[in-house]
mmCIF file of all heavy atoms in Angstrom:
data_model
loop_
_atom_site.group_PDB
_atom_site.id
_atom_site.type_symbol
_atom_site.label_atom_id
_atom_site.label_comp_id
_atom_site.label_asym_id
_atom_site.label_seq_id
_atom_site.Cartn_x
_atom_site.Cartn_y
_atom_site.Cartn_z
ATOM 1 N N GLY A 25 -3.252 12.847 -20.165
ATOM 2 C CA GLY A 25 -3.151 12.062 -21.543
ATOM 3 C C GLY A 25 -3.636 10.699 -21.311
ATOM 4 O O GLY A 25 -3.183 9.821 -22.048
ATOM 5 N N VAL A 26 -4.727 10.381 -20.533
ATOM 6 C CA VAL A 26 -5.260 9.176 -20.337
ATOM 7 C C VAL A 26 -6.306 8.836 -21.381
ATOM 8 O O VAL A 26 -6.952 7.755 -21.376
ATOM 9 C CB VAL A 26 -5.686 8.808 -18.899
ATOM 10 C CG1 VAL A 26 -4.477 8.998 -17.978
ATOM 11 C CG2 VAL A 26 -6.889 9.840 -18.605
ATOM 12 N N SER A 27 -6.753 9.681 -22.205
ATOM 13 C CA SER A 27 -7.862 9.510 -23.107
ATOM 14 C C SER A 27 -7.421 10.029 -24.544
ATOM 15 O O SER A 27 -6.602 10.721 -24.690
ATOM 16 C CB SER A 27 -8.950 10.415 -22.648
ATOM 17 O OG SER A 27 -10.121 10.211 -23.557
ATOM 18 N N PRO A 28 -7.857 9.139 -25.563
ATOM 19 C CA PRO A 28 -7.461 9.289 -26.925
ATOM 20 C C PRO A 28 -7.876 10.590 -27.589
ATOM 21 O O PRO A 28 -7.417 11.025 -28.670
ATOM 22 C CB PRO A 28 -7.962 8.135 -27.598
ATOM 23 C CG PRO A 28 -9.118 7.621 -26.811
ATOM 24 C CD PRO A 28 -8.900 8.091 -25.492
ATOM 25 N N ASP A 29 -8.830 11.368 -27.017
ATOM 26 C CA ASP A 29 -9.386 12.572 -27.695
ATOM 27 C C ASP A 29 -9.565 13.624 -26.705
ATOM 28 O O ASP A 29 -9.363 13.453 -25.553
ATOM 29 C CB ASP A 29 -10.480 12.283 -28.625
ATOM 30 C CG ASP A 29 -11.746 11.680 -27.818
ATOM 31 O OD1 ASP A 29 -11.498 11.595 -26.577
ATOM 32 O OD2 ASP A 29 -12.716 11.205 -28.260
ATOM 33 N N GLY A 30 -9.851 14.836 -27.139
ATOM 34 C CA GLY A 30 -10.045 16.097 -26.359
ATOM 35 C C GLY A 30 -11.057 15.906 -25.192
ATOM 36 O O GLY A 30 -12.089 15.361 -25.234
ATOM 37 N N GLY A 31 -10.624 16.375 -24.011
ATOM 38 C CA GLY A 31 -11.434 16.429 -22.869
ATOM 39 C C GLY A 31 -11.823 17.886 -22.448
ATOM 40 O O GLY A 31 -12.006 18.720 -23.287
ATOM 41 N N ALA A 32 -12.044 18.027 -21.194
ATOM 42 C CA ALA A 32 -12.449 19.356 -20.674
ATOM 43 C C ALA A 32 -11.558 20.527 -20.972
ATOM 44 O O ALA A 32 -12.019 21.536 -21.468
ATOM 45 C CB ALA A 32 -12.681 19.324 -19.257
ATOM 46 N N VAL A 33 -10.343 20.326 -21.010
ATOM 47 C CA VAL A 33 -9.300 21.337 -21.368
ATOM 48 C C VAL A 33 -9.525 21.843 -22.815
ATOM 49 O O VAL A 33 -9.633 22.926 -23.216
ATOM 50 C CB VAL A 33 -7.859 20.927 -21.033
ATOM 51 C CG1 VAL A 33 -6.891 22.053 -21.583
ATOM 52 C CG2 VAL A 33 -7.734 20.686 -19.444
ATOM 53 N N ALA A 34 -9.478 20.687 -23.683
ATOM 54 C CA ALA A 34 -9.628 21.076 -25.101
ATOM 55 C C ALA A 34 -10.936 21.711 -25.411
ATOM 56 O O ALA A 34 -11.170 22.459 -26.394
ATOM 57 C CB ALA A 34 -9.368 19.864 -26.111
ATOM 58 N N ALA A 35 -11.986 21.321 -24.493
ATOM 59 C CA ALA A 35 -13.430 21.801 -24.794
ATOM 60 C C ALA A 35 -13.476 23.273 -24.364
ATOM 61 O O ALA A 35 -14.470 23.827 -24.615
ATOM 62 C CB ALA A 35 -14.408 20.873 -23.980
ATOM 63 N N GLY A 36 -12.494 23.878 -23.600
ATOM 64 C CA GLY A 36 -12.564 25.302 -23.304
ATOM 65 C C GLY A 36 -12.837 25.544 -21.762
ATOM 66 O O GLY A 36 -13.310 26.645 -21.543
ATOM 67 N N ALA A 37 -12.449 24.512 -20.953
ATOM 68 C CA ALA A 37 -12.751 24.750 -19.528
ATOM 69 C C ALA A 37 -12.092 26.025 -18.892
ATOM 70 O O ALA A 37 -12.773 26.724 -18.136
ATOM 71 C CB ALA A 37 -12.353 23.509 -18.732
ATOM 72 N N ILE A 38 -10.931 26.339 -19.370
ATOM 73 C CA ILE A 38 -10.234 27.382 -18.697
ATOM 74 C C ILE A 38 -10.804 28.696 -19.243
ATOM 75 O O ILE A 38 -11.077 29.607 -18.503
ATOM 76 C CB ILE A 38 -8.717 27.367 -19.070
ATOM 77 C CG1 ILE A 38 -8.075 26.082 -18.532
ATOM 78 C CG2 ILE A 38 -8.033 28.569 -18.484
ATOM 79 C CD1 ILE A 38 -8.377 25.821 -16.914
ATOM 80 N N GLU A 39 -11.190 28.647 -20.544
ATOM 81 C CA GLU A 39 -11.933 29.845 -21.119
ATOM 82 C C GLU A 39 -13.209 30.126 -20.343
ATOM 83 O O GLU A 39 -13.568 31.274 -20.039
ATOM 84 C CB GLU A 39 -12.221 29.572 -22.470
ATOM 85 C CG GLU A 39 -12.383 30.837 -23.504
ATOM 86 C CD GLU A 39 -12.627 30.410 -24.889
ATOM 87 O OE1 GLU A 39 -12.229 29.324 -25.307
ATOM 88 O OE2 GLU A 39 -13.242 31.157 -25.608
ATOM 89 N N LEU A 40 -13.933 29.038 -20.035
ATOM 90 C CA LEU A 40 -15.179 29.258 -19.427
ATOM 91 C C LEU A 40 -14.999 29.795 -17.929
ATOM 92 O O LEU A 40 -15.620 30.758 -17.473
ATOM 93 C CB LEU A 40 -16.004 27.919 -19.401
ATOM 94 C CG LEU A 40 -17.332 28.029 -18.664
ATOM 95 C CD1 LEU A 40 -18.323 29.076 -19.201
ATOM 96 C CD2 LEU A 40 -17.953 26.567 -18.722
ATOM 97 N N LEU A 41 -14.009 29.166 -17.255
ATOM 98 C CA LEU A 41 -13.768 29.533 -15.861
ATOM 99 C C LEU A 41 -13.284 30.997 -15.825
ATOM 100 O O LEU A 41 -13.547 31.701 -14.809
ATOM 101 C CB LEU A 41 -12.658 28.702 -15.204
ATOM 102 C CG LEU A 41 -13.128 27.292 -15.027
ATOM 103 C CD1 LEU A 41 -11.964 26.373 -14.525
ATOM 104 C CD2 LEU A 41 -14.205 27.193 -13.927
#
Side-chain angles (χ1 to χ4, degrees):
Chain A
V26 299
S27 180
D29 54 11
V33 174
I38 302 306
E39 203 178 335
L40 179 59
L41 291 171

